[in-house]
Amino acid sequence: MNKHISYKLDQLFVEDVAVSEITSNLRTPFYVYSRTSIKDNFDRFTRSLKGLDSIICYSVKANSNLSVLETIAKLRGGADVVSLGEYHRALKAGIDQRRIVFSGVGKQDFEIAEALKSSLLQFNIESVSELESINKIAVSLNKQAPIAFRVNPDIDAGTHENISTGKADNKFGIPIDKAKEVYQYANKLEKNKDCGY
């Protein structure tokens, strides 16, 4: 069990607060988070990446609670978002826009345009059609879109078939055998050469 969540004298505590004390002031159900646990886990990730040029981007779709996101922001973490709403939520929590990654297969044109106008670390590209769409919008806005590719490695991670994301027959990412070709194609697309990233 998490060291910051424990039983003392048959009472459940989160850090030094008894859950029974919380329930006497709030209606149930509710969520309780340990800020210290979040910090400890973040620090553990940070230590494991020591020496690498890296940013830890928290998945906002996993938990969009503003207090959790504010904790990530104070730790200089980034955010991985899949919608404009999540992008705005990350900004509201204080996460630097240059530490936000826009992922997901359902990006809409207005979301891409607004994120480009506001700035972000990168778009994670899932397909050639998405690459072309983002490029077209960037050129129309006189911007150069910062991008990275999600490559599907065709590896079975042994998860349930309904949540599998890394096999060739899954809908996510550029097939690994097409990755080099797609990189070369992206390099040839029309770009605004006056603005770099």
Side-chain angles (χ1 to χ4, degrees), residues 135-149:
N135 187 72
K136 183 178 177 183
I137 294 165
V139 169
S140 75
L141 295 171
N142 201 29
K143 297 273 190 181
Q144 187 167 331
I147 62 168
F149 291 95

Side-chain angles (χ1 to χ4, degrees), residues 35-177:
R35 182 174 281 118
T36 306
S37 290
I38 294 169
K39 289 178 180 176
D40 286 354
N41 288 331
F42 192 93
D43 289 344
R44 194 173 313 125
F45 274 121
T46 302
R47 286 193 304 273
S48 72
L49 298 170
K50 189 175 180 180
L52 298 174
D53 183 14
S54 60
I55 297 173
I56 298 170
C57 292
Y58 180 77
S59 173
V60 177
K61 72 179 177 183
N63 187 337
S64 62
N65 180 292
L66 278 175
S67 294
V68 170
L69 298 179
E70 285 167 0
T71 301
I72 299 296
K74 287 175 184 168
L75 294 167
R76 296 212 68 243
D80 184 303
V81 304
V82 296
S83 71
L84 196 56
E86 288 184 1
Y87 177 83
H88 287 149
R89 199 158 180 86
L91 292 176
K92 184 175 181 179
I95 294 175
D96 186 330
Q97 60 195 16
R98 292 161 301 180
R99 299 174 84 80
I100 297 178
V101 174
F102 205 129
S103 301
V105 295
K107 300 176 193 79
Q108 297 184 55
D109 290 355
F110 76 93
E111 294 179 307
I112 294 164
E114 186 165 332
L116 274 170
K117 289 175 190 173
S118 300
S119 189
L120 73 165
L121 176 63
Q122 70 192 36
F123 289 101
N124 284 346
I125 305 290
E126 299 271 354
S127 67
V128 172
S129 61
E130 182 183 54
L131 169 67
E132 293 169 340
S133 179
I134 288 175
N135 187 72
K136 183 178 177 183
I137 294 165
V139 169
S140 75
L141 295 171
N142 201 29
K143 297 273 190 181
Q144 187 167 331
I147 62 168
F149 291 95
R150 180 178 182 176
V151 176
N152 185 319
D154 191 20
I155 294 172
D156 187 355
T159 57
H160 189 278
E161 63 182 38
N162 291 343
I163 60 166
S164 178
T165 60
K167 291 286 291 159
D169 56 348
N170 299 138
K171 63 183 176 181
F172 302 103
I174 308 290
I176 194 161
D177 60 340

